[in-house]
Amino acid sequence: MIRVGINGYGTIGKRVADAVRAQPDMTVRGVAKRSPDYVAVGAAEADYPVYAADEDRADGFREIGIDLAGTADDLVAESDVIVDATPSGVGAENRPLYERHDTPAIFQGGEDATVAEVSFNARANFAEAEDADYARVVSCNTTGLSRFLAPLHETYGIDKARVTLVRRGGDPDQTGRGPINDTVPDPVSIPSHHGPDVQTVFPELDIDTIGLKVPTTMMHVHAVNVTLEDDPDGVDDVRDLFRAEDRLLTIPEYAGIDGAGTLKDFAMDAGRPRGDIWENCIWGESITLQGRDLYCMQAIHQEADVVPENVDAIRALTGLLDGPESRSLTNETLGIDLGRLCGRENLTAEQRPTERVSSDD
Amino acid sequence: MIRVGINGYGTIGKRVADAVRAQPDMTVRGVAKRSPDYVAVGAAEADYPVYAADEDRADGFREIGIDLAGTADDLVAESDVIVDATPSGVGAENRPLYERHDTPAIFQGGEDATVAEVSFNARANFAEAEDADYARVVSCNTTGLSRFLAPLHETYGIDKARVTLVRRGGDPDQTGRGPINDTVPDPVSIPSHHGPDVQTVFPELDIDTIGLKVPTTMMHVHAVNVTLEDDPDGVDDVRDLFRAEDRLLTIPEYAGIDGAGTLKDFAMDAGRPRGDIWENCIWGESITLQGRDLYCMQAIHQEADVVPENVDAIRALTGLLDGPESRSLTNETLGIDLGRLCGRENLTAEQRPTERVSSDD
């Protein structure tokens, strides 16, 4: 059993902890956290050993009745591998700690690519992390793009990709984030950093990206154009390609899923923990071919899509399983199967939902 | 076992179905639905017998592979009691159907109070529904106010209540609702209909309400003033009164829960199905006394707070249990216990959360 330490227990860290716990070949050694808030209480209630980020912060945890197992330094010493889910930039500051304990570590996409030897996506380049001590799971957006581009790259070849990323302003719990009433070019320079970030996974890929931010908290949405090298044999050929991918969900028209809100509602109905959507969600009706130009729109759940990637990265670094084996086990243990519900293809009607009820007033 | 039919399987209906299923003394006979969309697929996947709203709509369900158990008319005939969770106004149209089958029915707060003999809140007037054939579970906002006012009314007496309801614009799946960038007096006339609706539960209560709508989808928030008849013995007296209530959650300061987003995140972490918050959520720091004037702010999850009330209403109409027994059983089976997590009172620090991480870019 690989002992996994989670350093940083926020949006990503708490989800990775739960995902690691669900695996048969690894265990959560503990979680390190800075703030003694409701999330810390949740960690204690979930029976994760809680470590304070440092000794100065320990009293706050004790005051709310959380017994500490030690500090982050202790956690690193006691773990076989660390998942660093601290805020952007803090991971790089933590790397010397991991080196001092000779503990392999996985960083998140908010870090600069130089933080680790390899920028990782389970679908695209699992094997490259097998000899590494440090890997960076690329960001939610880059993860979504890597999964989407990999099968196109392998099957048709990619002449050029152009993507507009309409990004959510903050996560649901980030009360202080904006914008609140604007569509903000962010970054205003083109290409945005997302294109070069995709190139950390696909070094030869020609891709330009434009980034904006909007006042939503639910999901990012990508408007994608890929100029292919070879002509697909019609849109159905592309749909079939996507359907064969385990972490691409094609939303059928009948479902009445018309935005990120309904997508999240669908995930809630399916019993997903925290309503998490680990898959890319591609609107089936949007998949369009104009010659070699492929277009579509996909939604990316920024809190969730990197979670299975972190689990797979643990296996890559520690040599537990190879890529296909790891992805398959991760999918099975987490229940990555929304496509099963959404994939009811024996339909001809193009019905839109008309029924909505809530106790409104 | 009481056989419960759910007519209308939207935001409220699907939650009531799951709550009924969790009870030891009742069973879901089936759910009737209009649209063959992702919510219908969810009902079939949850193994609820699915009934089409009427025969004209049956083909759409069959086309997506849902085997129908019949129509809504059949469901009413086969049920001991109906929970009508159809859109506002449709419930009243359905009442003749329930009368024809001599089936008791529970309506939602979107209906006019005249739809049923009694407007119901489990905390305030359970017993009044015990002799009724038809009851209306009051709306999410009226439910939240009834729970809040009942203990104050009983303990101190209420001279007058004044409430501003800052209402969410729509539910997360209601893509077409507004406002998108406004704070809308809604209704612009004062008092809003909420005050008179509270009076359907507390006929003698003096209450005025003002309603507005804002561009959020997560929760309603009430700014409450109650002028009490008797002086409480300080704020702690009021806090203790609230803490003794099973469906009032007092949010402690240490938790760092600063809005509806963090509240929902907290509920997700606690493993609540669909992130549902069945309790009123009162910010502890906001509880303030100025003489006999009590002030505070509370959040109400519009998708969820009426769900346990529907379960209790079933027991009231069918005579299964009395009020305290029913509320207790409903709380236990659903797991209404967020106060256990939030109630860690052995603390002195007033810490705010500083840690937030997500794979942002």
Side-chain angles (χ1 to χ4, degrees):
Chain A
M1 288 289 256
I2 294 288
R3 294 168 302 172
V4 181
I6 316 285
N7 191 14
Y9 192 78
T11 302
I12 299 302
K14 64 190 181 186
R15 288 173 164 84
V16 170
D18 290 354
V20 166
R21 177 175 268 181
Q23 306 307 312
D25 50 355
M26 51 186 86
T27 181
V28 177
R29 174 67 201 190
V31 304
K33 182 148 176 55
R34 286 204 307 208
S35 301
D37 57 9
Y38 73 93
V39 185
V41 171
E45 290 288 329
D47 288 328
Y48 292 126
V50 177
Y51 295 70
D54 53 58
E55 193 51 46
D56 292 346
R57 296 170 185 272
D59 281 350
F61 289 89
R62 295 184 186 116
E63 281 163 6
I64 59 169
I66 293 179
D67 293 328
L68 289 176
T71 63
D73 193 286
D74 298 322
L75 178 61
V76 177
E78 297 163 11
S79 299
D80 299 315
V81 60
I82 289 288
V83 175
D84 185 301
T86 58
S88 297
V90 178
E93 295 171 14
N94 287 338
R95 179 164 161 158
L97 170 66
Y98 310 142
E99 289 174 340
R100 197 159 67 242
H101 288 283
D102 203 18
T103 306
I106 292 157
F107 299 92
Q108 304 306 309
E111 304 301 320
D112 192 88
T114 57
V115 76
E117 300 136 72
V118 58
S119 286
F120 177 88
N121 173 260
R123 171 64 178 80
N125 68 346
F126 186 101
E128 288 177 33
E130 289 178 335
D131 296 322
D133 289 324
Y134 302 98
R136 180 184 73 121
V137 169
V138 292
S139 74
C140 49
N141 280 314
T142 304
T143 294
L145 288 172
S146 296
R147 290 174 180 169
F148 180 88
L149 294 170
L152 294 174
H153 180 63
E154 294 163 11
T155 305
Y156 308 114
I158 292 175
D159 188 11
K160 173 128 195 170
R162 302 168 186 87
V163 184
T164 300
L165 299 97
V166 183
R167 300 153 69 199
R168 64 85 180 97
D171 291 337
D173 63 336
Q174 293 177 313
T175 322
R177 296 272 292 242
I180 57 169
N181 179 36
D182 209 342
T183 301
V184 181
D186 183 21
V188 69
S189 57
I190 297 174
S192 70
H193 53 283
H194 306 92
D197 203 41
V198 169
Q199 289 166 332
T200 67
V201 179
F202 300 90
E204 306 299 318
L205 191 78
D206 190 2
I207 177 170
D208 294 329
T209 53
I210 296 179
L212 305 105
K213 278 195 180 177
V214 293
T216 71
T217 63
M218 290 190 287
M219 301 179 84
H220 302 298
V221 175
H222 298 171
V224 185
N225 161 234
V226 182
T227 307
L228 301 167
E229 290 180 348
D230 295 336
D231 264 339
D233 194 17
V235 165
D236 285 346
D237 203 37
V238 178
R239 287 172 180 264
D240 289 345
L241 185 71
F242 290 157
R243 287 208 185 95
E245 293 290 315
D246 53 356
R247 293 178 188 170
L248 299 185
L249 167 67
T250 304
I251 304 166
E253 186 170 2
Y254 84 87
I257 294 176
D258 58 0
T262 41
L263 259 175
K264 297 297 293 289
D265 193 59
F266 169 57
M268 299 278 203
D269 285 359
R272 282 288 178 91
R274 297 186 173 91
D276 282 351
I277 305 178
W278 298 298
E279 304 91 331
N280 294 25
C281 300
I282 304 167
W283 275 279
E285 294 156 89
S286 76
I287 302 171
T288 302
L289 272 176
Q290 301 281 0
R292 290 187 296 119
D293 271 322
L294 171 68
Y295 298 91
C296 74
M297 289 180 274
Q298 67 173 358
I300 302 294
H301 186 191
Q302 77 281 358
E303 301 172 292
D305 78 329
V306 299
V307 172
E309 308 295 324
N310 272 275
V311 172
D312 292 330
I314 292 168
R315 293 210 182 87
L317 282 196
T318 57
L320 281 170
L321 291 174
D322 69 19
E325 290 168 341
S326 177
R327 288 201 307 276
S328 172
L329 184 56
T330 304
N331 294 346
E332 182 190 333
T333 49
L334 295 186
I336 297 187
D337 62 354
L338 280 181
R340 180 180 57 84
L341 302 185
C342 240
R344 291 170 172 254
E345 293 303 321
N346 50 340
L347 49 101
T348 57
E350 300 185 1
Q351 282 143 314
R352 310 302 306 169
T354 57
E355 182 175 20
R356 289 280 179 272
V357 61
S358 85
S359 178
D360 181 38
D361 304 76
Chain B
M1 290 289 256
I2 295 288
R3 295 167 301 172
V4 181
I6 316 283
N7 191 13
Y9 192 78
T11 301
I12 300 301
K14 64 190 181 186
R15 289 173 165 85
V16 170
D18 291 353
V20 166
R21 176 175 269 182
Q23 308 305 312
D25 51 355
M26 51 186 85
T27 182
V28 178
R29 175 67 202 192
V31 304
K33 183 146 178 54
R34 286 204 305 209
S35 300
D37 57 8
Y38 73 93
V39 186
V41 171
E45 290 290 327
D47 288 328
Y48 292 126
V50 177
Y51 295 70
D54 54 57
E55 193 52 46
D56 292 346
R57 295 171 185 272
D59 282 348
F61 289 88
R62 295 185 186 115
E63 281 163 6
I64 60 169
I66 294 178
D67 293 328
L68 289 175
T71 63
D73 194 287
D74 299 321
L75 177 61
V76 176
E78 296 162 11
S79 299
D80 299 314
V81 59
I82 288 288
V83 175
D84 184 300
T86 57
S88 296
V90 179
E93 294 170 14
N94 287 336
R95 180 165 161 156
L97 170 65
Y98 310 142
E99 289 174 340
R100 197 159 67 241
H101 288 283
D102 203 18
T103 305
I106 292 158
F107 299 92
Q108 304 305 310
E111 303 302 320
D112 192 87
T114 58
V115 78
E117 300 136 71
V118 58
S119 286
F120 178 87
N121 173 259
R123 172 63 179 80
N125 68 345
F126 186 100
E128 288 177 32
E130 290 178 335
D131 296 323
D133 290 324
Y134 301 98
R136 180 184 73 121
V137 170
V138 291
S139 74
C140 47
N141 279 314
T142 304
T143 294
L145 288 172
S146 297
R147 291 174 181 170
F148 180 88
L149 294 169
L152 295 173
H153 181 63
E154 294 163 10
T155 306
Y156 308 115
I158 292 175
D159 188 12
K160 172 127 195 169
R162 302 168 185 87
V163 184
T164 301
L165 300 97
V166 184
R167 301 152 70 199
R168 65 85 181 95
D171 292 337
D173 62 336
Q174 292 177 315
T175 322
R177 295 273 291 243
I180 56 168
N181 178 36
D182 208 342
T183 301
V184 181
D186 182 21
V188 69
S189 57
I190 299 174
S192 70
H193 54 283
H194 306 92
D197 203 40
V198 169
Q199 289 165 332
T200 66
V201 179
F202 300 91
E204 306 298 318
L205 191 78
D206 190 2
I207 178 170
D208 293 330
T209 53
I210 297 178
L212 304 105
K213 277 195 181 177
V214 294
T216 71
T217 63
M218 291 191 286
M219 302 179 83
H220 302 298
V221 175
H222 298 169
V224 185
N225 162 233
V226 182
T227 307
L228 301 167
E229 290 178 348
D230 295 336
D231 264 340
D233 193 17
V235 165
D236 285 346
D237 203 39
V238 179
R239 287 172 180 265
D240 289 346
L241 184 71
F242 289 157
R243 285 208 185 94
E245 293 290 316
D246 53 355
R247 293 178 189 170
L248 299 185
L249 167 66
T250 304
I251 304 165
E253 187 170 1
Y254 85 86
I257 294 176
D258 58 0
T262 41
L263 259 175
K264 297 297 295 289
D265 193 58
F266 169 56
M268 299 276 203
D269 285 358
R272 283 289 179 88
R274 297 186 174 91
D276 281 352
I277 305 178
W278 298 298
E279 304 92 331
N280 293 26
C281 300
I282 304 168
W283 274 278
E285 295 156 89
S286 76
I287 302 172
T288 302
L289 272 175
Q290 302 281 1
R292 292 188 294 120
D293 270 322
L294 172 68
Y295 298 92
C296 74
M297 288 180 274
Q298 67 174 358
I300 302 294
H301 186 191
Q302 77 281 356
E303 300 172 293
D305 79 328
V306 299
V307 172
E309 309 295 324
N310 272 275
V311 172
D312 292 330
I314 293 167
R315 292 210 183 88
L317 282 196
T318 57
L320 281 169
L321 291 175
D322 70 19
E325 291 169 340
S326 177
R327 289 201 307 276
S328 173
L329 183 56
T330 304
N331 295 345
E332 182 191 332
T333 49
L334 295 187
I336 297 187
D337 63 353
L338 280 181
R340 179 180 58 83
L341 302 185
C342 240
R344 292 172 170 251
E345 293 303 321
N346 51 342
L347 48 103
T348 58
E350 300 186 0
Q351 282 143 313
R352 310 301 306 169
T354 58
E355 182 175 19
R356 291 277 180 273
V357 61
S358 85
S359 178
D360 181 36
D361 304 76

